[in-house]
Each structure stands twice: as structure tokens, then as C-alpha cells.
Amino acid sequence: MQLSDYVNTFGQDLLQRYGERVHKLTINAGFTCPNRDGTKGHGGCTFCNNTSFNPNARHPPSIATQLENGRQVIAKRTGARLFMPYFQAYTNTYGDLQHLARLYEEAIAAPDVVGLSIGTRPDCVSEEVLDLLVKYQQRGYEIWLELGLQSAFDETLERIQRGHTFAEYRQTLLAARQRGIPVCTHLIIGLPGEERWHNLESLNRVLELGVEGLKLHPLHVVKHTILAKQWQQGLYHPLDMSTYVSIAADMIERTPPEIVYHRVTATASMDILLAPNWCHKKWAVLNAITATLRAIHS
Ligand code: SF4
């Protein structure tokens, strides 16, 4: 038994629709974030790693080079021939429209690219950006807007210094869906001050508004963050793995089957991860979620 026997995974969904595997290739397009540059805030989200904002990260190789490097790694491992560039680092709609169009166009230009996935903040997606994304859809590309909501509770969003509200998420989500742009919403399990019921209620609120995809993520404590200081002072206690697995399985079970899970856990690299230490064991977490779902269905 594998995860996709119990979860509508993005990998399986793409496989069925394209008849072969489609791999996401992560792109760093050199964006920054309004929650760090002073537009929305200075400190950033409490869990956001400051070293991500070092000068090298802001001047990455060209998109074509990143795609080619990613292609070679993936092709060796899996033989995949179709790709979806994923603008992941920072806020990938934070720039003037011409700049965004040039970057997206560069990513979409190769014949083996089937579409784009654009990760961003809910308060940073203008009507013009949505209209630009629609144009790619009209050209036959698959476009996903990935919105980092993390929690549907404004108290939590304030506590982790997100610099946006649930109402802003709602507004962007509805504007995207009105245009037929599918949205994948990111939620974090284990946020400070939150318990299982918060995660379930966040899921409810997201499902009520409507969404096409979801990503679940355990809260990582990584070096050089406000959260790391809170953890060191005993003010934040990370989740243990079994609690994470149980909450994630519960959320998956409450999700309508047509909604695609793009991810049900995430890892952080060992050189920056402080806690919880199980976060780097992606397969152990995935296997435990699969086993929990199997037990529920047996
Ligand atoms: S919105 Fe993203 S990039 Fe910006 S501070 Fe928060 S986690 Fe970091």
C-alpha cells in the first residue's frame, strides 16, 4: 500500500492526466518578500530563515540554468520527460508586471514544460497578475497559484507575524477562482498556540471557500529565526511525530476526494534544522501517515 492509495496526490493526478510522470522543478527567481523589506513588515514570519535572504540567494543562476540543472538530476533519477517549474522561494508575484511576465515566460518557454506553479502570499496577488496567469492558461498551460495561508486564525497569523489576514486570503482566493485559476493552499501544523482543533477548523474554513489543492507542512524550527529564539527559551514546543501524523491523517480524511494534496509533509535541510528532529525523515513521516490511513480504512 502506498500513500496514493488513500490520498489524491498531485503526482498521481498529473500521471493520470498527462499519461506520464510530470516533475516539479523548484525555481528561485531572486524575489524578496514584502514582509521583510518593510512594505508589510521588517522581521518576517517568525519561522522564516534570515539566511534565505543572503545576497547569493537574491542573485540565483538564470531560470534556464536552474531548469536545466533540475532536469538533469530528475532525468537521471526517474527518466521524467515533462516538467512544471515551481516558483518557490520568497514571494513570486512581488514585482512589476513586466518583470513577472519575463520570468514566467522564461520558465514556460521549453517544450517539455507543461505549466507553472507560483508560490506567493495571499496579500501580494494583484488583479493584473491573475489576468497574466489566465493568459498562460489560454495558451494551454497548467497554472497553479500556491497561497501560503498557514492558519485561518488571525490571532495565529499575528502571533507568527505573517502580516496578512484570513480576509486577504479569502479575497485573493475568490479572485483567482473566479478566473478559473486553481489554488493550492498551504497550511502548517504545529503553529504556536494552536492545537488539533485549530488545524481542523483552518481546513474547514479553507474548504468552505473552495480550493483545488492543499499542502500540509510541519512547523520547522530553523536557525536564525525568531521561532528559534522562542524554542531556545522554552516558549515554543514542537510537535512530536505521532501527533503530526495523526493530525495530518485526520485532515486528509476530512478532505473531499477531488481535492489534490500537493504535499502532506515537508523537510528542512539538516544544516539549518533545529527541531523537531524527525522533520528530516520525510519517508518515515509519509510511511506513518500511510499506515495511519490504512488502519482507518481497514
Ligand atoms: S512570507 Fe514567506 S518569505 Fe516572507 S517572511 Fe514569511 S515565510 Fe519568509
Side-chain angles (χ1 to χ4, degrees):
M1 287 291 178
Q2 52 188 2
L3 187 69
S4 57
D5 292 329
Y6 305 104
V7 184
N8 184 9
T9 64
F10 193 43
Q12 280 299 314
D13 175 62
L14 289 167
L15 178 62
Q16 275 165 15
R17 290 188 289 113
Y18 288 90
E20 59 181 294
R21 294 216 166 269
V22 178
H23 270 270
K24 277 173 103 169
L25 294 176
T26 301
I27 300 287
N28 174 1
F31 285 100
T32 179
C33 170
N35 201 22
R36 301 211 66 107
D37 70 5
T39 305
K40 295 291 291 212
H42 283 288
C45 305
T46 59
F47 53 82
C48 184
N49 182 337
N50 292 348
T51 58
S52 308
F53 289 82
N54 69 40
N56 292 338
R58 293 294 319 282
H59 300 288
S62 74
I63 287 175
T65 303
Q66 291 181 58
L67 288 178
E68 188 45 36
N69 292 343
R71 252 187 213 105
Q72 284 179 12
V73 173
I74 297 290
K76 250 189 233 160
R77 232 173 51 207
T78 69
R81 298 179 308 172
L82 297 178
F83 300 97
M84 182 178 289
Y86 170 31
F87 285 78
Q88 181 184 36
Y90 323 110
T91 302
N92 293 282
T93 53
Y94 189 44
D96 73 60
L97 203 62
Q98 280 184 347
H99 179 60
L100 297 180
R102 190 180 59 72
L103 294 172
Y104 301 160
E105 200 63 50
E106 191 178 343
I108 222 161
D112 56 2
V113 165
V114 300
L116 295 180
S117 201
I118 314 276
T120 190
R121 294 166 52 86
D123 58 348
C124 216
V125 187
S126 66
E127 302 273 326
E128 291 76 21
V129 169
L130 292 173
D131 291 340
L132 175 66
L133 297 182
V134 168
K135 287 188 185 144
Y136 295 117
Q137 285 184 316
Q138 288 166 346
R139 286 164 54 188
Y141 292 107
E142 175 163 346
I143 302 295
W144 282 86
L145 186 66
E146 300 208 19
L147 293 180
L149 172 62
Q150 322 310 359
S151 168
F153 290 86
D154 284 342
E155 311 86 85
T156 304
L157 296 176
E158 204 172 311
R159 190 168 179 165
I160 60 173
Q161 296 180 191
R162 280 294 290 175
H164 67 74
T165 60
F166 184 66
E168 286 171 298
Y169 164 79
R170 183 179 187 279
Q171 189 179 346
T172 298
L173 174 99
L174 295 180
R177 297 190 87 233
Q178 270 163 14
R179 288 169 172 80
I181 299 170
V183 172
C184 172
T185 296
H186 297 201
L187 294 171
I188 294 181
I189 299 172
L191 288 167
E194 292 209 341
E195 297 173 17
R196 175 186 298 258
W197 73 267
H198 291 91
N199 298 123
L200 298 179
E201 182 55 23
S202 285
L203 177 70
N204 275 345
R205 293 183 191 177
V206 165
L207 293 178
E208 261 171 33
L209 289 176
V211 75
E212 286 73 22
L214 288 167
K215 259 188 192 177
L216 304 181
H217 194 304
L219 184 60
H220 300 145
V221 182
V222 295
K223 291 177 183 170
H224 312 300
T225 62
I226 298 166
L227 185 67
K229 288 198 188 102
Q230 294 169 343
W231 172 71
Q232 277 150 357
Q233 291 164 0
L235 300 173
Y236 172 69
H237 303 284
L239 286 186
D240 57 51
M241 182 171 138
S242 63
T243 306
Y244 178 80
V245 166
S246 166
I247 295 173
D250 208 349
M251 292 172 79
I252 291 165
E253 279 297 294
R254 291 163 193 253
T255 303
E258 66 275 13
I259 293 175
V260 181
Y261 268 94
H262 290 227
R263 183 186 281 173
V264 296
T265 190
T267 51
S269 79
M270 280 306 283
D271 55 333
I272 57 166
L273 179 67
L274 294 173
N277 64 2
W278 53 266
C279 273
H280 71 280
K281 299 182 201 154
K282 177 178 148 192
W283 282 104
V285 179
L286 289 176
N287 290 340
I289 292 173
T290 307
T292 304
L293 294 169
R294 185 192 305 133
I296 293 170
H297 287 269
S298 63

